[in-house]
Amino acid sequence: MKHYLDFEKPLAEIEGKAEELRALARENADMDISAEVEALDRKAEQLLSELYRSLDPWRKAQVARHPERPHTLEYIEALFTEFTPLAGDRGFGEDKAIVGGLARFNDRPVVVMGHEKGADTHSRIERNFGMARPEGYRKAVRLMDLADRFGLPVITFIDTPGAYPGRGAEERGQAEAIARSTEKCLRIRVPLISVVIGEGGSGGAVALATGNRVAMLEHAIYSVISPEGCASILWKDAEKMRDAAEALRLTAQDLHALGVIDRIIPEPVGGAHRSREEVIPAVGKAIEEMLAPLEKLAPEEILAQRRRKYLEMGRKGLAA
Amino acid sequence: MNWITNYVRPKINSLFSRREVPENLWKKCPECGTMLFHRELKESLNVCVNCGHHMHITPRERFKALFDGGIFTEIEVPQPVVDPLKFRDQKRYPDRLKAAQKKTGEREAVLVVEGEIMRTPVVAAGQDFSFMGGSMGMYVGNAIIAAAERAVERRLPLILFAAAGGARMQEGILSLMQMPRTTIAVEMLKEARLPYVVVLTHPTTGGVTASYAMLGDVHIAEPGALICFAGPRVIEQTIREKLPEGFQRSEYLHEHGMVDRVTDRRKLREELVTIIRMLMRQPPAVRGDLPEPAAAEDTASAGKATQDKSATKKGAAAGNPAGRNG
């Protein structure tokens, strides 16, 4: 069963009809309905590209959170070889909301990590829907330290609603863990490349996304607060999330205009989940293009470049 | 409270009815209900003399009491682009800013100053919760960076008084980017081997706690302050259970190893100096022959003077927004 978003309802109808016709044709071999099916397919395709040509920010947020959207582990499995997951913060536990380890990217050894939301009910619960606890960020710090000591580039995939707001997480120092992780991002002398593949949720995202180069998928979002959270605070009405999404300027296009991200990676028509074969290699190509020039720099220069980037950030406003 | 309600109105009232006590001379402690006389309250730094409850204090009031003779100079903060997103919720963001400026008499949610505490020179930054919840936007980020840069330049320690509801939503992603930016400021201090002491005051939450406020060499919390990443309401909604008494308060954080000390505001001055002088390998502070910090009446005007000066400089800085790193 395909998952359709609210605004994709008309599309669901057309694609459903085409599917019914196909099923009918399979049962009755003498029926010739290929012309009708083709017409429906064309109509669906047209509607899809129309819908996705101008997604408003709230729709983008929905696409970014689409349950079938490829998540971190899928990218790691497709783009990396010899992936060897490493676990634990050496203090309290192993947080499955952040995956990471050693791997090879186009043959070179790297440290790769990211938030993992999970792909079905079981794994989603196991991964806590990609919402990390302090252990997750402390593991990230440990892995970045490892990368720094052995001169391995770090590649991070960002996909989280935010850090987990729970009692235990607070007691074990969620804020401190995030602060240390961001600090570590800024301290390592190896290239750090981040790709926001779905949701970049606030501090929980920044903790892994403070990179030399940051890219976003075309329909990904990256924001200081979720549209729902912002709406309930500033509009006193969580139902105003459309207005909030608009006002927050959380799309890849807005962030690029603001100079917060370096690059937008195009998605297939209908979003990343409609064609993994297209989007995953596109992400791989973008990472390679961002990483290669940085590898030529001296370690101190890599660190200095990252700091300059953030110190200078926010000088330009967004026109209109 | 401003000078009109504090001074003029009582004076006028006293002309007409000598017996009536103007109510604004008294403040009720929200914790124990004790009525506190305003002069007494000022002397105790807005701490209830009966139960020790710590009430809100503005950075300017705090600094007047903290620095020797109430004397300090303001450090100029580079003005960022105002309202970069053209943010509008029920109000326009520039209108909210103007309202906050009118209410507090301050330019933004943080005050960066330099001066001497018990003859120990320091740079200090104080966040003002009464200015849009002390929220961290680009100005606050610039202020923390300016404070660190000044401390490094003059080889002085930095004391940060944190107070914030979190990031400033009206600046969207750019407010979030202040987390890495302020972290770089802390890195500058660490690399220069200068002490960075954080005083966590009520409340310190969200992105501020998750960046520069939790990266100090020493963390001191004022009693009873709410210090957290996610607020208690958010957590209760998520896990649907009542949280224990005192959850996320200073004492609770102390027990869970997140802060070094919980210190009464009235004792902070001594304690900060003691810690800083040791970290700076300076001899113990000379006590006893120092001017009383209460003689601060002329500092109010001194503070204003620096503010006016920075206002004129602001025009020049706006013409060259990239100048700050230059």
Side-chain angles (χ1 to χ4, degrees), chain A residues 226-281:
Chain A
S226 71
E228 295 91 331
C230 179
S232 73
I233 296 173
L234 289 182
W235 277 264
K236 318 267 180 239
D237 178 2
E239 292 301 308
K240 296 274 192 224
M241 64 264 184
R242 271 177 199 80
D243 298 310
E246 196 84 46
L248 280 169
R249 308 276 185 166
L250 41 65
T251 67
Q253 293 69 27
D254 283 333
L255 266 71
H256 193 256
L258 285 166
V260 171
I261 61 159
D262 303 288
R263 187 177 176 132
I264 300 172
I265 305 169
E267 289 187 32
V269 177
H273 57 284
R274 281 194 175 253
S275 176
R276 293 167 145 71
E277 315 74 60
E278 276 178 68
V279 77
I280 294 177

Side-chain angles (χ1 to χ4, degrees), chain A residues 38-80:
Chain A
E38 220 169 89
L40 279 174
D41 281 347
R42 250 202 315 280
K43 208 172 154 194
E45 211 172 285
Q46 205 181 350
L47 184 59
L48 188 69
S49 72
E50 262 168 40
L51 279 174
Y52 275 78
R53 195 175 305 139
S54 53
L55 285 180
D56 66 32
W58 173 242
R59 287 184 176 179
K60 275 191 187 270
Q62 289 171 278
V63 176
R65 296 169 179 169
H66 198 290
E68 286 158 15
R69 202 171 166 85
H71 294 146
T72 296
L73 279 174
E74 269 188 71
Y75 285 97
I76 295 181
E77 273 154 29
L79 297 172
F80 295 76

Side-chain angles (χ1 to χ4, degrees), chain A residues 170-171 183 187 307 311, chain B residues 84 181 187 191 230 248 252:
Chain A
E170 288 289 319
E171 283 173 348
E183 185 187 39
R187 228 183 221 183
R307 288 200 183 171
L311 281 177
Chain B
R181 293 185 82 228
E187 293 297 290
E191 275 157 24
Q248 298 179 320
Y252 198 87

Side-chain angles (χ1 to χ4, degrees), chain A residues 71-102:
Chain A
H71 294 146
T72 296
L73 279 174
E74 269 188 71
Y75 285 97
I76 295 181
E77 273 154 29
L79 297 172
F80 295 76
T81 51
E82 296 180 17
F83 176 51
T84 312
L86 301 176
D89 70 341
R90 301 294 187 269
F92 181 82
E94 154 70 351
D95 186 346
K96 294 199 166 94
I98 291 179
V99 295
L102 293 164

Side-chain angles (χ1 to χ4, degrees), chain B residues 60 70-74 297-307:
Chain B
R60 199 171 287 280
I71 297 164
F72 55 85
T73 48
E74 284 182 45
E297 285 318 308
D298 51 336
T299 338
S301 52
K304 276 278 173 288
T306 43
Q307 212 178 15

Side-chain angles (χ1 to χ4, degrees), chain B residues 253-270:
Chain B
L253 264 84
H254 186 244
E255 232 166 78
H256 283 85
M258 285 298 129
V259 298
D260 294 288
R261 304 178 60 79
V262 179
T263 304
D264 191 299
R265 191 181 286 156
R266 292 164 292 188
K267 294 190 181 137
L268 263 179
R269 190 168 185 260
E270 284 258 345

Side-chain angles (χ1 to χ4, degrees), chain A residues 104-126:
Chain A
R104 285 183 186 273
F105 178 70
N106 294 339
D107 290 335
R108 62 165 95 63
V110 299
V111 162
V112 60
M113 57 186 179
H115 310 90
E116 174 56 48
K117 283 185 169 179
D120 52 37
T121 310
H122 175 76
S123 62
R124 276 180 201 128
I125 291 168
E126 187 185 19

Side-chain angles (χ1 to χ4, degrees), chain B residues 38-74:
Chain B
H38 75 111
R39 234 173 265 146
E40 186 183 33
L41 198 58
K42 194 180 169 193
E43 207 140 284
S44 71
L45 304 170
N46 289 2
V47 177
C48 173
V49 288
N50 180 47
C51 71
H53 177 69
H54 282 53
M55 290 175 230
H56 172 71
I57 185 168
T58 66
R60 199 171 287 280
E61 280 178 88
R62 185 194 284 279
F63 290 158
K64 270 188 216 163
L66 187 67
F67 288 98
D68 297 340
I71 297 164
F72 55 85
T73 48
E74 284 182 45

